[in-house]
Amino acid sequence: AQTVTQSQPEMSVQEAETVTLSCTYDTSESNYYLFWYKQPPSRQMILVIRQEAYKQQNATENRFSVNFQKAAKSFSLKISDSQLGDTAMYFCAFMKHERRGASGSRLTFGEGTQLTVNP
Amino acid sequence: EAGVAQSPRYKIIEKRQSVAFWCNPISGHATLYWYQQILGQGPKLLIQFQNNGVVDDSQLPKDRFSAERLKGVDSTLKIQPAKLEDSAVYLCASSRGPGGYNEQFFGPGTRLTVL
């Protein structure tokens, strides 16, 4: 079974600064996906960024980038130029790569990191 | 395009009562998921449908939880009878298809309180 660990329950950052959220995972799979999801207060969960394990290059989406260290099973999220709207709970999640003929797409989530961006 | 719709948004019941939640996925999305999110935890998958067939229900407590997706569109999740530990937010998500390359879009959730 896969497990995802987020060791920082809460973090805060000043507006316009950079913050890094940590995530580690445990799996025996060689091919998989990793995700960061954002859940703002009283709003729905949205995908921030996705990384495929077989890709060496770290994914980036505008101000969001990841540092994927496959050997260390580490997947951190860096938010640059933090904005007030980035205040949310951030979840790291894992999904096994689907095999031919199988279609399970279970996301396994960590416990989350509450990020607060201060003005 | 309209997002994933869920109702009701909030529900309060007594233990041992029954409750049902409804989900309408994004139009054209073949894959539908129900997740349970207990306060302070990340969501946990309860069941995944591909069209109207069940793909993964390994974490669904089948003695009290049931779900169906008739006609491969809307879905309902039922709890009968409810226990105190069922208090949680129930999230519905949908995607065009299975797999990590198909983004899962989440609804606003139904917050269930069992007294």
PDB file of all heavy atoms in Angstrom, chain A residues 36-57:
ATOM      1  N   TRP A  36      -0.192  17.909  -6.420  1.00  0.00           N
ATOM      2  CA  TRP A  36      -0.509  18.841  -5.343  1.00  0.00           C
ATOM      3  C   TRP A  36      -1.890  19.410  -5.641  1.00  0.00           C
ATOM      4  O   TRP A  36      -2.134  19.910  -6.746  1.00  0.00           O
ATOM      5  CB  TRP A  36       0.517  19.964  -5.249  1.00  0.00           C
ATOM      6  CG  TRP A  36       1.756  19.565  -4.525  1.00  0.00           C
ATOM      7  CD1 TRP A  36       2.944  19.149  -5.065  1.00  0.00           C
ATOM      8  CD2 TRP A  36       1.949  19.546  -3.110  1.00  0.00           C
ATOM      9  NE1 TRP A  36       3.846  18.864  -4.080  1.00  0.00           N
ATOM     10  CE2 TRP A  36       3.261  19.106  -2.869  1.00  0.00           C
ATOM     11  CE3 TRP A  36       1.136  19.867  -2.010  1.00  0.00           C
ATOM     12  CZ2 TRP A  36       3.796  18.976  -1.584  1.00  0.00           C
ATOM     13  CZ3 TRP A  36       1.652  19.737  -0.734  1.00  0.00           C
ATOM     14  CH2 TRP A  36       2.971  19.296  -0.533  1.00  0.00           C
ATOM     15  N   TYR A  37      -2.770  19.321  -4.627  1.00  0.00           N
ATOM     16  CA  TYR A  37      -4.104  19.894  -4.713  1.00  0.00           C
ATOM     17  C   TYR A  37      -4.216  21.026  -3.683  1.00  0.00           C
ATOM     18  O   TYR A  37      -3.613  20.972  -2.614  1.00  0.00           O
ATOM     19  CB  TYR A  37      -5.176  18.839  -4.413  1.00  0.00           C
ATOM     20  CG  TYR A  37      -5.540  17.964  -5.577  1.00  0.00           C
ATOM     21  CD1 TYR A  37      -4.819  16.813  -5.865  1.00  0.00           C
ATOM     22  CD2 TYR A  37      -6.612  18.290  -6.404  1.00  0.00           C
ATOM     23  CE1 TYR A  37      -5.157  16.008  -6.942  1.00  0.00           C
ATOM     24  CE2 TYR A  37      -6.957  17.488  -7.483  1.00  0.00           C
ATOM     25  CZ  TYR A  37      -6.222  16.355  -7.738  1.00  0.00           C
ATOM     26  OH  TYR A  37      -6.568  15.558  -8.807  1.00  0.00           O
ATOM     27  N   LYS A  38      -5.046  21.996  -4.013  1.00  0.00           N
ATOM     28  CA  LYS A  38      -5.301  23.142  -3.140  1.00  0.00           C
ATOM     29  C   LYS A  38      -6.773  23.136  -2.761  1.00  0.00           C
ATOM     30  O   LYS A  38      -7.636  22.954  -3.627  1.00  0.00           O
ATOM     31  CB  LYS A  38      -4.966  24.418  -3.908  1.00  0.00           C
ATOM     32  CG  LYS A  38      -5.401  25.720  -3.282  1.00  0.00           C
ATOM     33  CD  LYS A  38      -5.073  26.869  -4.231  1.00  0.00           C
ATOM     34  CE  LYS A  38      -5.562  28.203  -3.689  1.00  0.00           C
ATOM     35  NZ  LYS A  38      -5.254  29.323  -4.621  1.00  0.00           N
ATOM     36  N   GLN A  39      -7.055  23.305  -1.466  1.00  0.00           N
ATOM     37  CA  GLN A  39      -8.434  23.357  -0.989  1.00  0.00           C
ATOM     38  C   GLN A  39      -8.621  24.653  -0.203  1.00  0.00           C
ATOM     39  O   GLN A  39      -8.333  24.714   0.993  1.00  0.00           O
ATOM     40  CB  GLN A  39      -8.754  22.136  -0.115  1.00  0.00           C
ATOM     41  CG  GLN A  39     -10.219  21.985   0.231  1.00  0.00           C
ATOM     42  CD  GLN A  39     -10.504  20.668   0.959  1.00  0.00           C
ATOM     43  OE1 GLN A  39      -9.748  20.255   1.828  1.00  0.00           O
ATOM     44  NE2 GLN A  39     -11.604  20.012   0.604  1.00  0.00           N
ATOM     45  N   PRO A  40      -9.101  25.723  -0.866  1.00  0.00           N
ATOM     46  CA  PRO A  40      -9.319  26.998  -0.154  1.00  0.00           C
ATOM     47  C   PRO A  40     -10.446  26.855   0.858  1.00  0.00           C
ATOM     48  O   PRO A  40     -11.270  25.940   0.740  1.00  0.00           O
ATOM     49  CB  PRO A  40      -9.704  27.963  -1.281  1.00  0.00           C
ATOM     50  CG  PRO A  40      -9.279  27.287  -2.549  1.00  0.00           C
ATOM     51  CD  PRO A  40      -9.390  25.822  -2.287  1.00  0.00           C
ATOM     52  N   PRO A  41     -10.525  27.748   1.822  1.00  0.00           N
ATOM     53  CA  PRO A  41     -11.584  27.669   2.827  1.00  0.00           C
ATOM     54  C   PRO A  41     -12.960  27.668   2.177  1.00  0.00           C
ATOM     55  O   PRO A  41     -13.279  28.542   1.383  1.00  0.00           O
ATOM     56  CB  PRO A  41     -11.364  28.926   3.681  1.00  0.00           C
ATOM     57  CG  PRO A  41      -9.949  29.310   3.432  1.00  0.00           C
ATOM     58  CD  PRO A  41      -9.624  28.869   2.048  1.00  0.00           C
ATOM     59  N   SER A  42     -13.754  26.663   2.504  1.00  0.00           N
ATOM     60  CA  SER A  42     -15.139  26.560   2.030  1.00  0.00           C
ATOM     61  C   SER A  42     -15.261  26.541   0.512  1.00  0.00           C
ATOM     62  O   SER A  42     -16.300  26.897  -0.033  1.00  0.00           O
ATOM     63  CB  SER A  42     -15.983  27.720   2.590  1.00  0.00           C
ATOM     64  OG  SER A  42     -15.948  27.697   4.000  1.00  0.00           O
ATOM     65  N   ARG A  43     -14.219  26.138  -0.168  1.00  0.00           N
ATOM     66  CA  ARG A  43     -14.277  26.031  -1.623  1.00  0.00           C
ATOM     67  C   ARG A  43     -13.741  24.682  -2.058  1.00  0.00           C
ATOM     68  O   ARG A  43     -13.106  23.981  -1.290  1.00  0.00           O
ATOM     69  CB  ARG A  43     -13.490  27.165  -2.277  1.00  0.00           C
ATOM     70  CG  ARG A  43     -14.085  28.545  -2.013  1.00  0.00           C
ATOM     71  CD  ARG A  43     -13.275  29.620  -2.681  1.00  0.00           C
ATOM     72  NE  ARG A  43     -13.221  29.442  -4.128  1.00  0.00           N
ATOM     73  CZ  ARG A  43     -12.458  30.190  -4.917  1.00  0.00           C
ATOM     74  NH1 ARG A  43     -11.688  31.113  -4.393  1.00  0.00           N
ATOM     75  NH2 ARG A  43     -12.457  29.993  -6.221  1.00  0.00           N
ATOM     76  N   GLN A  44     -14.021  24.323  -3.312  1.00  0.00           N
ATOM     77  CA  GLN A  44     -13.647  22.982  -3.702  1.00  0.00           C
ATOM     78  C   GLN A  44     -12.180  22.821  -4.014  1.00  0.00           C
ATOM     79  O   GLN A  44     -11.460  23.757  -4.305  1.00  0.00           O
ATOM     80  CB  GLN A  44     -14.480  22.473  -4.887  1.00  0.00           C
ATOM     81  CG  GLN A  44     -14.639  23.421  -6.022  1.00  0.00           C
ATOM     82  CD  GLN A  44     -16.106  23.685  -6.253  1.00  0.00           C
ATOM     83  OE1 GLN A  44     -16.751  24.302  -5.410  1.00  0.00           O
ATOM     84  NE2 GLN A  44     -16.627  23.240  -7.373  1.00  0.00           N
ATOM     85  N   MET A  45     -11.749  21.571  -3.945  1.00  0.00           N
ATOM     86  CA  MET A  45     -10.381  21.166  -4.192  1.00  0.00           C
ATOM     87  C   MET A  45     -10.058  21.363  -5.673  1.00  0.00           C
ATOM     88  O   MET A  45     -10.845  20.989  -6.546  1.00  0.00           O
ATOM     89  CB  MET A  45     -10.255  19.690  -3.831  1.00  0.00           C
ATOM     90  CG  MET A  45      -8.884  19.102  -3.949  1.00  0.00           C
ATOM     91  SD  MET A  45      -8.210  18.622  -2.380  1.00  0.00           S
ATOM     92  CE  MET A  45      -9.475  17.611  -1.733  1.00  0.00           C
ATOM     93  N   ILE A  46      -8.901  21.933  -5.956  1.00  0.00           N
ATOM     94  CA  ILE A  46      -8.480  22.101  -7.339  1.00  0.00           C
ATOM     95  C   ILE A  46      -7.033  21.617  -7.496  1.00  0.00           C
ATOM     96  O   ILE A  46      -6.227  21.688  -6.570  1.00  0.00           O
ATOM     97  CB  ILE A  46      -8.598  23.568  -7.815  1.00  0.00           C
ATOM     98  CG1 ILE A  46      -7.774  24.501  -6.929  1.00  0.00           C
ATOM     99  CG2 ILE A  46     -10.035  24.010  -7.872  1.00  0.00           C
ATOM    100  CD1 ILE A  46      -7.729  25.917  -7.456  1.00  0.00           C
ATOM    101  N   LEU A  47      -6.737  21.121  -8.689  1.00  0.00           N
ATOM    102  CA  LEU A  47      -5.401  20.624  -8.986  1.00  0.00           C
ATOM    103  C   LEU A  47      -4.451  21.802  -9.185  1.00  0.00           C
ATOM    104  O   LEU A  47      -4.751  22.729  -9.931  1.00  0.00           O
ATOM    105  CB  LEU A  47      -5.443  19.762 -10.244  1.00  0.00           C
ATOM    106  CG  LEU A  47      -4.101  19.208 -10.723  1.00  0.00           C
ATOM    107  CD1 LEU A  47      -3.521  18.239  -9.700  1.00  0.00           C
ATOM    108  CD2 LEU A  47      -4.269  18.523 -12.078  1.00  0.00           C
ATOM    109  N   VAL A  48      -3.302  21.737  -8.529  1.00  0.00           N
ATOM    110  CA  VAL A  48      -2.281  22.777  -8.682  1.00  0.00           C
ATOM    111  C   VAL A  48      -1.238  22.347  -9.704  1.00  0.00           C
ATOM    112  O   VAL A  48      -0.905  23.100 -10.625  1.00  0.00           O
ATOM    113  CB  VAL A  48      -1.597  23.069  -7.324  1.00  0.00           C
ATOM    114  CG1 VAL A  48      -0.441  24.041  -7.501  1.00  0.00           C
ATOM    115  CG2 VAL A  48      -2.613  23.597  -6.315  1.00  0.00           C
ATOM    116  N   ILE A  49      -0.738  21.122  -9.542  1.00  0.00           N
ATOM    117  CA  ILE A  49       0.352  20.678 -10.392  1.00  0.00           C
ATOM    118  C   ILE A  49       0.443  19.157 -10.358  1.00  0.00           C
ATOM    119  O   ILE A  49       0.052  18.532  -9.363  1.00  0.00           O
ATOM    120  CB  ILE A  49       1.678  21.344  -9.937  1.00  0.00           C
ATOM    121  CG1 ILE A  49       2.746  21.312 -11.029  1.00  0.00           C
ATOM    122  CG2 ILE A  49       2.176  20.741  -8.631  1.00  0.00           C
ATOM    123  CD1 ILE A  49       3.900  22.279 -10.777  1.00  0.00           C
ATOM    124  N   ARG A  50       0.937  18.574 -11.440  1.00  0.00           N
ATOM    125  CA  ARG A  50       1.022  17.117 -11.579  1.00  0.00           C
ATOM    126  C   ARG A  50       2.410  16.757 -12.095  1.00  0.00           C
ATOM    127  O   ARG A  50       2.964  17.455 -12.948  1.00  0.00           O
ATOM    128  CB  ARG A  50      -0.046  16.637 -12.541  1.00  0.00           C
ATOM    129  CG  ARG A  50       0.089  15.210 -13.046  1.00  0.00           C
ATOM    130  CD  ARG A  50      -1.095  14.811 -13.904  1.00  0.00           C
ATOM    131  NE  ARG A  50      -1.425  15.838 -14.876  1.00  0.00           N
ATOM    132  CZ  ARG A  50      -2.630  15.983 -15.412  1.00  0.00           C
ATOM    133  NH1 ARG A  50      -3.614  15.188 -15.066  1.00  0.00           N
ATOM    134  NH2 ARG A  50      -2.852  16.946 -16.284  1.00  0.00           N
ATOM    135  N   GLN A  51       2.942  15.616 -11.609  1.00  0.00           N
ATOM    136  CA  GLN A  51       4.253  15.125 -12.036  1.00  0.00           C
ATOM    137  C   GLN A  51       4.146  13.635 -12.351  1.00  0.00           C
ATOM    138  O   GLN A  51       3.584  12.885 -11.560  1.00  0.00           O
ATOM    139  CB  GLN A  51       5.275  15.329 -10.907  1.00  0.00           C
ATOM    140  CG  GLN A  51       6.649  14.742 -11.149  1.00  0.00           C
ATOM    141  CD  GLN A  51       7.526  15.626 -12.014  1.00  0.00           C
ATOM    142  OE1 GLN A  51       7.535  16.841 -11.872  1.00  0.00           O
ATOM    143  NE2 GLN A  51       8.268  15.025 -12.914  1.00  0.00           N
ATOM    144  N   GLU A  52       4.658  13.244 -13.493  1.00  0.00           N
ATOM    145  CA  GLU A  52       4.731  11.818 -13.811  1.00  0.00           C
ATOM    146  C   GLU A  52       6.105  11.305 -13.396  1.00  0.00           C
ATOM    147  O   GLU A  52       7.130  11.931 -13.725  1.00  0.00           O
ATOM    148  CB  GLU A  52       4.512  11.591 -15.296  1.00  0.00           C
ATOM    149  CG  GLU A  52       3.117  11.988 -15.735  1.00  0.00           C
ATOM    150  CD  GLU A  52       2.904  11.822 -17.229  1.00  0.00           C
ATOM    151  OE1 GLU A  52       2.872  10.666 -17.678  1.00  0.00           O
ATOM    152  OE2 GLU A  52       2.780  12.831 -17.933  1.00  0.00           O
ATOM    153  N   ALA A  53       6.137  10.183 -12.716  1.00  0.00           N
ATOM    154  CA  ALA A  53       7.377   9.716 -12.100  1.00  0.00           C
ATOM    155  C   ALA A  53       8.466   9.401 -13.106  1.00  0.00           C
ATOM    156  O   ALA A  53       9.658   9.516 -12.803  1.00  0.00           O
ATOM    157  CB  ALA A  53       7.107   8.489 -11.235  1.00  0.00           C
ATOM    158  N   TYR A  54       8.081   9.002 -14.332  1.00  0.00           N
ATOM    159  CA  TYR A  54       9.112   8.634 -15.302  1.00  0.00           C
ATOM    160  C   TYR A  54       9.754   9.862 -15.958  1.00  0.00           C
ATOM    161  O   TYR A  54      10.750   9.746 -16.662  1.00  0.00           O
ATOM    162  CB  TYR A  54       8.530   7.700 -16.363  1.00  0.00           C
ATOM    163  CG  TYR A  54       7.604   8.359 -17.356  1.00  0.00           C
ATOM    164  CD1 TYR A  54       8.093   8.937 -18.523  1.00  0.00           C
ATOM    165  CD2 TYR A  54       6.236   8.397 -17.136  1.00  0.00           C
ATOM    166  CE1 TYR A  54       7.251   9.534 -19.444  1.00  0.00           C
ATOM    167  CE2 TYR A  54       5.388   8.986 -18.049  1.00  0.00           C
ATOM    168  CZ  TYR A  54       5.895   9.550 -19.202  1.00  0.00           C
ATOM    169  OH  TYR A  54       5.052  10.143 -20.103  1.00  0.00           O
ATOM    170  N   LYS A  55       9.172  11.030 -15.723  1.00  0.00           N
ATOM    171  CA  LYS A  55       9.735  12.253 -16.295  1.00  0.00           C
ATOM    172  C   LYS A  55      10.776  12.841 -15.341  1.00  0.00           C
ATOM    173  O   LYS A  55      10.509  13.072 -14.172  1.00  0.00           O
ATOM    174  CB  LYS A  55       8.640  13.280 -16.568  1.00  0.00           C
ATOM    175  CG  LYS A  55       7.717  12.890 -17.714  1.00  0.00           C
ATOM    176  CD  LYS A  55       6.763  14.014 -18.064  1.00  0.00           C
ATOM    177  CE  LYS A  55       5.927  13.645 -19.279  1.00  0.00           C
ATOM    178  NZ  LYS A  55       4.946  14.710 -19.631  1.00  0.00           N
ATOM    179  N   GLN A  56      11.947  13.079 -15.859  1.00  0.00           N
ATOM    180  CA  GLN A  56      13.027  13.615 -15.032  1.00  0.00           C
ATOM    181  C   GLN A  56      12.808  15.094 -14.713  1.00  0.00           C
ATOM    182  O   GLN A  56      13.142  15.560 -13.637  1.00  0.00           O
ATOM    183  CB  GLN A  56      14.370  13.464 -15.754  1.00  0.00           C
ATOM    184  CG  GLN A  56      14.757  12.039 -16.090  1.00  0.00           C
ATOM    185  CD  GLN A  56      15.377  11.328 -14.905  1.00  0.00           C
ATOM    186  OE1 GLN A  56      15.451  11.874 -13.804  1.00  0.00           O
ATOM    187  NE2 GLN A  56      15.805  10.095 -15.106  1.00  0.00           N
ATOM    188  N   GLN A  57      12.236  15.806 -15.670  1.00  0.00           N
ATOM    189  CA  GLN A  57      12.096  17.248 -15.503  1.00  0.00           C
ATOM    190  C   GLN A  57      11.014  17.577 -14.490  1.00  0.00           C
ATOM    191  O   GLN A  57       9.906  17.015 -14.548  1.00  0.00           O
ATOM    192  CB  GLN A  57      11.761  17.889 -16.858  1.00  0.00           C
ATOM    193  CG  GLN A  57      11.772  19.398 -16.841  1.00  0.00           C
ATOM    194  CD  GLN A  57      11.636  19.982 -18.242  1.00  0.00           C
ATOM    195  OE1 GLN A  57      11.390  19.270 -19.201  1.00  0.00           O
ATOM    196  NE2 GLN A  57      11.790  21.292 -18.347  1.00  0.00           N
TER     197      GLN A  57
END
